[in-house]
Amino acid sequence: MRILLLTGRLAEPLVKNIVKKIPVEVDVDVLPIDVAALMTPRLIAKHLEKIDISKYTFVLIPGLVRGDFSELSKELGIRIFKGPRYASDIPLIISQVMNGKLELSFSKPADLLIK
């Protein structure tokens, strides 16, 4: 399993520090936007078109990003799931996914799926 995690410039240091603790390959990629929650589907699509996404199991975007990413996932040929609303929950979410206890959503933040 290899995950591509997208974030914004302001959250980059925090997110990179958090994913160091995860026992699976997680690549952090920073979009040209300060606040990760303000990402749009088009911005994400433009960014992913520049990357070799074939090596990833799925893409994880911030849970606070608005919208449903099922259509973009189909368009790009990779699953784009919403992660948690808070970066500190990333290890828990990925652990739950790895253990088969959580199925991620294209539209609902991951932390709300386990409440």
Side-chain angles (χ1 to χ4, degrees), residues 4-86:
L4 176 61
L5 195 151
L6 301 181
T7 193
R9 290 185 285 244
L10 293 176
E12 176 184 10
L14 173 65
V15 171
K16 284 186 172 179
N17 188 46
I18 287 171
V19 300
K20 288 178 186 175
K21 304 168 188 166
I22 299 172
V24 67
E25 280 192 80
V26 179
D27 294 338
V28 176
D29 204 21
V30 181
L31 273 71
I33 191 167
D34 287 335
V35 180
L38 299 178
M39 291 178 191
T40 64
R42 284 299 112 209
L43 178 64
I44 292 170
K46 278 181 69 174
H47 191 76
L48 291 178
E49 288 170 357
K50 301 174 189 174
I51 299 171
D52 176 13
I53 56 175
S54 67
K55 60 186 173 185
Y56 296 105
T57 308
F58 60 87
V59 176
L60 199 61
I61 61 172
L64 290 173
V65 174
R66 292 183 184 189
D68 182 313
F69 287 83
S70 57
E71 288 302 315
L72 185 58
S73 293
K74 288 178 193 172
E75 181 183 319
L76 296 178
I78 188 165
R79 295 173 298 163
I80 303 170
F81 294 125
K82 286 198 175 183
R85 294 173 295 165
Y86 309 105

Side-chain angles (χ1 to χ4, degrees), residues 80-94:
I80 303 170
F81 294 125
K82 286 198 175 183
R85 294 173 295 165
Y86 309 105
S88 60
D89 290 334
I90 293 170
L92 172 65
I93 296 303
I94 291 177

